Amino acid sequence: MPFEYLSNTPLDEAVSQYRNELRSQGLTYQVETIETRNALGRMSARAVYAKICAPHYNACAMDGIALISEKTYGATETTPVRLTEEDFTWVDTGDPLPKGCDSVIMIEDLVEDQGSHWIYSPAVPWQNIRQIGEDISAGDMIIPSFTRITPACMGAMLAAGVLRVEVIKKPLVAIIPTGEEIVPPTEDPGEGDVIEFNSTIFAGMLTEWGCNPKIYPIVSDNRGQIQKALQSASQECDAVILIAGSSAGRDDYSAQVIRETGQIVLHGIAIKPGKPAILAYINEPLKNRCVPVIGMPGYPVSGIIVMEMVFKPIIQLLTCQPSEKKPVMDAAVSRRINSSLKNREFIRTRIGWVNGKTVAVPLNRGAGVVSSFVKADGLMDIPQNSEGVEAGGSVKVRLLEEMEIIMKSLVITGSHDPLLDEAADILRREFPEAKVSSSHVGSMGCITALQRGEAHMGGIHLLDEETGTYNIPYLKKYFPKGNVVLIECVQRTQGIMTAKGNPKNIKGFDDIIGKEYVNRQKGSGTRILCDYLIKQNNLDMGKISGYQREEFTHTAVAAAIAAGTADAGLGILSAAKIYDLDFIPIADESYDLLVGQKEFELDIVKKFIEVLKSREFAERLNAMGGYKLNQPGRIIDWT
Amino acid sequence: MPFEYLSNTPLDEAVSQYRNELRSQGLTYQVETIETRNALGRMSARAVYAKICAPHYNACAMDGIALISEKTYGATETTPVRLTEEDFTWVDTGDPLPKGCDSVIMIEDLVEDQGSHWIYSPAVPWQNIRQIGEDISAGDMIIPSFTRITPACMGAMLAAGVLRVEVIKKPLVAIIPTGEEIVPPTEDPGEGDVIEFNSTIFAGMLTEWGCNPKIYPIVSDNRGQIQKALQSASQECDAVILIAGSSAGRDDYSAQVIRETGQIVLHGIAIKPGKPAILAYINEPLKNRCVPVIGMPGYPVSGIIVMEMVFKPIIQLLTCQPSEKKPVMDAAVSRRINSSLKNREFIRTRIGWVNGKTVAVPLNRGAGVVSSFVKADGLMDIPQNSEGVEAGGSVKVRLLEEMEIIMKSLVITGSHDPLLDEAADILRREFPEAKVSSSHVGSMGCITALQRGEAHMGGIHLLDEETGTYNIPYLKKYFPKGNVVLIECVQRTQGIMTAKGNPKNIKGFDDIIGKEYVNRQKGSGTRILCDYLIKQNNLDMGKISGYQREEFTHTAVAAAIAAGTADAGLGILSAAKIYDLDFIPIADESYDLLVGQKEFELDIVKKFIEVLKSREFAERLNAMGGYKLNQPGRIIDWT
């Protein structure tokens, strides 16, 4: 397979080059006529004109009587006018105005007295009449071209006799997953199987953009088969996404196949992730049009970025949907971000609004970490030719979440415990608008975040080596002004997790010598506990194999042990239980919540603390195991 | 039928009373399990946890070699380490990490030399490996309860082996239109037929809110039949909308039927439009739940307001969708608004952003004018106990359109001519994001709007009685500082429109005496022309029957004549042609565009003027008839 050098075209240039080339090849939208009642959310293909007037006749707008207004002239409170049955016609709302009448008097304004009807004020011509065309006159333009059809648009069109409407046809977009290691979604994949979920993500995005996605069966790494799939998709569909496997070699393979069938406009964009995207098209002479073909990198995060940044502007040529631009704002980045000069980088990030400051907490940058897109409130945009940003520096962020929701979110930054997710879920079930945005940066990370005013609260479990007590000694050191509130949360059991049946026969912490250990990141409470235990047991750090291997959560440590790539790791019982590991208890520790003093007054913080006191919280933690609840939610007097 | 007095409960009170009553009756959402790949846009019913790790094995993240990192220790640029084939395994991205290996070296970092492989820097343990659980660990909470499932959520769930997900069931909502005058949408309704389009509007709104609407056949005004429809709908569906006809009596009828089957919580809300809504429910013991039933007023605008303000918060109890609150802002109202102390009033309004000022131009307040909802950018909210607002006063407006789009919209306020709609459509076809927001307030209204800085431009055709010339004399009078630009638009023919075949044998303007005339509103150029013609022909205004009858557009005048409710009216040829009327030319006039001096520099104004010069504009006007184009788009030197 020939090695192909990728171009490093800047993003904006790549998109405009691709769009222009496709346009010059005649790429454009198609039109179809559908029933108006089925047109919700569709885009009008041309201006829509009223066929009839609405109302289409002069209609009485009130229940009452219709008459010629002249008959009422001169009526006043003191000189009422008497009407006889010959003078008027009884009408209901919606009735056609009877011939010869020019006004309607409400029934309430008519006084009946011994068979006569009296009125006390004159009628004005055309009062209480919905004149023909009051709403819409025949021939009026109801909506212009390229307008999203709303419920009211549908109503106005039907009122005006427009029963069918020309709309932009939804483009049919093919999604072809390739790769011999790729398997359809399953609960029980074999080792080396890669679950194919990119097509589902892309189909979802396309649906949101007004397309009809069509997912093709997985094609193995066979050039002929990929070729065949690409040809039939380009004949059948209006655009094609060819998802390469995750290997670099595979991308070249896609490029080769695409080149044999169509034209490559560009291969390689100066963005990260997403660099190896292939921007191409195939001319379909039989259909007399060109079909955009995009070769997608296989990693899901790269794929999502290329979909959003590159493919969406192309799809808009076919859907005529306006480009809703995601708002961009400035935020202070919570830690140093390194970036390469070569690429423009998009980094998924949590966004918090704390104390009037917008803070961006970068998420895992791995191209395979699709969950980061679930957590992300925004995409940090680090320009090409920038080496990155220092902690506290300002970055541009594209919002993926409504700023209104971000401004109301609770920002929790600190030590990880699954109980935070449980509490957040309980809160949300009671107040569906409450969003909790939590980042796992360890207990010391919590202290830093609160010192810098970048979080509302966070979990800490910090063992003081000298006193053997938790948390308070650290607060005295780091918050001498006393401007944080410590909230009791739980006592939890730390211990050594090891494979089911404890095959290495680990009985205490000193047994980790000679075994494969998996550690937690620096600054985490569990790491501090680990170092404390090493000292207490007089162990030689250098002799602990795997001391350098760092994971960020209890469950990640448990997963490594469950997978057999480590023999032991320190963590909490609830994590061990999820992975069905053996657990050797080592220490009980205080896992508490630290809250900024001002933040303590926030409504959402108060609600969160109420959750800690709730029965449901106790029940959920009981089911998870390894927690003791004394007085969760209590303010601990520490100053 | 007994007359029923309506309550006058304030809106917020009515909604909370209704919600609380329904909740105390046990109204709640239902849950269903669906395939994850079909879950786009649905709301999670409970927290979703990962079933497996993603990745579920330690995976090589690069193409290259896997080995134990120890073998590479000490490698530097000057002291490379030589690896033998036994030291490593060739791997591709995605391959499982071979047993006994702890790192992967990229193929690019491996130097091959005469059958040996050299590396120039040591491998760090766990480098280039996607560790098990890197993305998601089994047991992790992927999303909490009541979360909208995005494409990325679907991807994360599939990656974590979650193939099915519990979501909130979409409520099935019945819509029952009633009324003997109601007919299904048609292009050719009979006189007195009322086209039923409310159900389509409501169904569209419900779909947007995450419901499945079900439209029932139209039920005639027969109590037994309405009763039967209501019962079967409440058995079949999760909520019911009973649309009354437009008559006041009909509402009472609905109330009666509902009361016989269920409970009325409230009848009558202190809002306008929408007052006579009925808020009720039916207990369905067989289904062990309660079904909200809302009696909707028959006028579409009232219905939309009640749907949005009252029914949406009820539906949210069933969908668990967050209440996206429409942004509210202050705007200056363009003309005096009267309002009743008794009701809180919602007035549809155009919103323009001119010269940094937000201006609200109220639209037709008629409860039957559904087209106003197509044109509206916002809803003016006039509180109960307010008598209204003076022109220029500040009002609260709920935005129905993105402020970003409003800020880029071209605000045209002035004399009506269909050519404005055509020009706007041409502009939009070229620049789909260009929105034109035009209000018909007559030529004098244009002058006022520009004087007050409330519009970017407007159409004028103002005949000066003294000189017999158009527009310029008015500009000299009203803009002595010369701070407006006059743009030539068209010469158009005004004439008398009369029924096909000219049955009243009208030959000139003086023939309108003795006929039924239909006039235009004060301040419109056509009204000024009419008054000029009356004077010139020495006619007696008092003898013109229908002089007081005012319409706001040329097409509305034409519609009145076509319907036979008037014999003659002054208007332009294009309007007469739409209605197939006879047309007696009276005068050629200059219809020009007046633009504020600052506004003239705006990009959208320049683009609009370019449209006037385009061939497509000329072609469209030629097809409409009655226009002469000299140099449209030319700046007229008038100072």
Side-chain angles (χ1 to χ4, degrees), chain B residues 526-543:
Chain B
T526 304
R527 173 71 165 256
I528 291 171
L529 175 64
C530 169
D531 292 346
Y532 174 80
L533 292 169
I534 288 170
K535 221 181 258 180
Q536 247 197 352
N537 288 281
N538 290 315
L539 304 184
D540 179 354
M541 219 173 263
K543 284 197 181 152

Side-chain angles (χ1 to χ4, degrees), chain B residues 24-58:
Chain B
S24 78
Q25 294 293 326
L27 185 75
T28 187
Y29 60 88
Q30 293 171 65
V31 174
E32 65 179 341
T33 303
I34 61 171
E35 286 191 55
T36 301
R37 66 192 168 101
N38 297 328
L40 183 68
R42 302 295 292 270
M43 299 296 288
S44 62
R46 58 193 82 245
V48 177
Y49 298 88
K51 289 196 172 166
I52 57 174
C53 290
H56 58 283
Y57 59 94
N58 287 313

Side-chain angles (χ1 to χ4, degrees), chain A residues 113-125:
Chain A
D113 184 26
Q114 300 178 342
S116 293
H117 295 87
W118 299 85
I119 60 155
Y120 289 81
S121 63
V124 177

Side-chain angles (χ1 to χ4, degrees), chain B residues 383-427:
Chain B
Q384 213 170 338
N385 301 319
S386 157
E387 286 189 322
V389 191
E390 293 300 329
S394 175
V395 284
K396 292 271 172 223
V397 181
R398 262 167 215 244
L399 293 190
L400 302 176
E401 176 65 279
E402 305 275 328
M403 193 58 205
E404 205 191 326
I405 292 174
I406 291 172
M407 288 178 75
K408 287 191 287 185
S409 297
L410 178 62
V411 180
I412 302 185
T413 304
S415 169
H416 169 249
D417 191 297
L419 73 82
L420 295 176
D421 292 332
E422 297 301 329
D425 186 52
I426 295 168
L427 180 65

Side-chain angles (χ1 to χ4, degrees), chain A residues 23-39:
Chain A
R23 269 206 276 223
S24 78
Q25 293 293 328
L27 184 75
T28 187
Y29 61 88
Q30 293 171 64
V31 175
E32 64 179 342
T33 303
I34 62 171
E35 286 190 56
T36 301
R37 66 191 167 102
N38 297 328

